[in-house]
Amino acid sequence: MIQVAFYDTKAYDKPSFARYGALRNVQFRFLETKLNEDTVDLAKGCDAVCVFVNDIVNDKVIAKLYAYGVKLIALRCAGYNNVDIRSAFGKVHVVHVPAYSPYAVAEHAMALLLTSVRRIHKAYNRTREFNFSLNGLTGFDFHGKTVGVIGTGKIGTIFLNICRGFGMHAIAYDRYPASDSDIEYVSLDQLFAQSDVISLHCPLTDETRHMIDASAIEKMKKGVVLVNTSRGALIDAEALLDGIKARKIGAACLDVYEEEADIFFEDRSGHILNDELLARLISMPNVIVTSHQAFLTEEALNNIAETTVGNLLSYFENDGICDNELCYRCGSIERCKKERKERCF
Ligand code: NAD
């Protein structure tokens, strides 16, 4: 039986993981707490830890996991900016779920965009109170507008095609543009200058951190709608707020927020929100915030559990070789070991 400490458990995680785990001899120890330096001891005696986007897997946590004999860090998400993979190299292997439902995220991005532009959130509240006035609810047609997609991987490409379905003109920027696609790539500055809607679908890296800052916002069209379902720190939230107050940003649709780690995924309705910036953003009539919800569909939850259990079995029952292994060298050196069907280290 493979023993796994499952950190940051939510009620919606348990059914799918318990079901797939029981089928394949994997036992999950469901823990409500997040993984960090104070909680890493709970992984003692386990073969692996299973973590999510806001668990902190830094060098100190990795050193302790290594000392406790934990062999594998299994991320149950795609992004891995919260794991120090350089420090894990040579100590603890890291696997992730590269794709579980890119449709879930792309469709949520469009749901946020439609809600915001057509003021559905306002209309919903009004009609519940029998207020049938239309004043202040004017939106704009998507048809004929330009959408700029930053990052044309799995999610970005699906979102781009959804936008095309609305008759939008789609342009894109990617650090590594797809060579075999019909996507119209432009420079980042051209995308900022031409887009009526900008949607972010690239990973958070040192290079992309705060890629939407004051100078980027300066280059955008007045009234631009920003959508972020990727990672919060892609946007400098202070600069976003300034852009909104200056009436430069027409609307912002945020599923992620830079300082979300201690706020999102929990019911904080009975507490005073200490994050002034988030509180101010939420108070804006043209900002919609969902709390990192874009992935949350039945299909995605099942795929996440199935792939994570598959990753654990590949690692523990297949000589440690797993296609979904991550290391800081993967893709960055010639003839990466994983591409030769070997372990990363
Ligand atoms: P992907 O790897 O398929 O695509 C990422 C794309 O970004 C690639 O085409 C890559 O070339 C491009 N890219 C890399 N560096 C770039 C840069 N500096 N500038 C512009 N483009 C760059 O990833 P994906 O599955 O499409 O996921 C995209 C992001 O969505 C993830 O990194 C993750 O942070 C986020 N995500 C969010 C949720 C959610 O629930 N909100 C769920 C899943 C993923």
Side-chain angles (χ1 to χ4, degrees), residues 52-53 77-81 96-102 104-105 108 149-157 173-178 185 188 200-205 207-208 211 228-232 234 255-256 260 265 291-296:
F52 196 50
V53 292
C77 53
Y80 50 90
N81 51 285
H96 73 148
V97 182
Y100 35 88
S101 174
V105 183
H108 190 78
V149 176
I150 300 181
T152 52
K154 293 175 283 298
I155 297 169
T157 301
Y173 168 77
D174 195 301
R175 181 90 159 74
Y176 311 97
Y185 286 104
L188 200 49
L200 307 179
H201 300 285
C202 59
L204 175 64
T205 62
E207 191 184 341
T208 60
M211 74 189 304
N228 189 7
T229 55
S230 195
R231 284 290 180 267
L234 295 176
D255 186 50
V256 285
E260 71 179 50
F265 300 106
S291 54
H292 210 132
Q293 177 191 332
F295 74 98
L296 197 62

Side-chain angles (χ1 to χ4, degrees), residues 2 9 18 30 48 63 83 108 116 149 159 172 183 200 251 267 273 285 297 344:
I2 302 166
T9 309
F30 291 112
V83 179
H108 190 78
S116 168
V149 176
F159 180 77
I183 295 173
L200 307 179
D267 180 359
L273 188 61
T297 65
C344 285

Side-chain angles (χ1 to χ4, degrees), residues 35-42 61:
L35 175 59
N36 56 42
E37 287 165 49
D38 298 327
T39 61
V40 62
D41 290 358
L42 296 169
V61 169

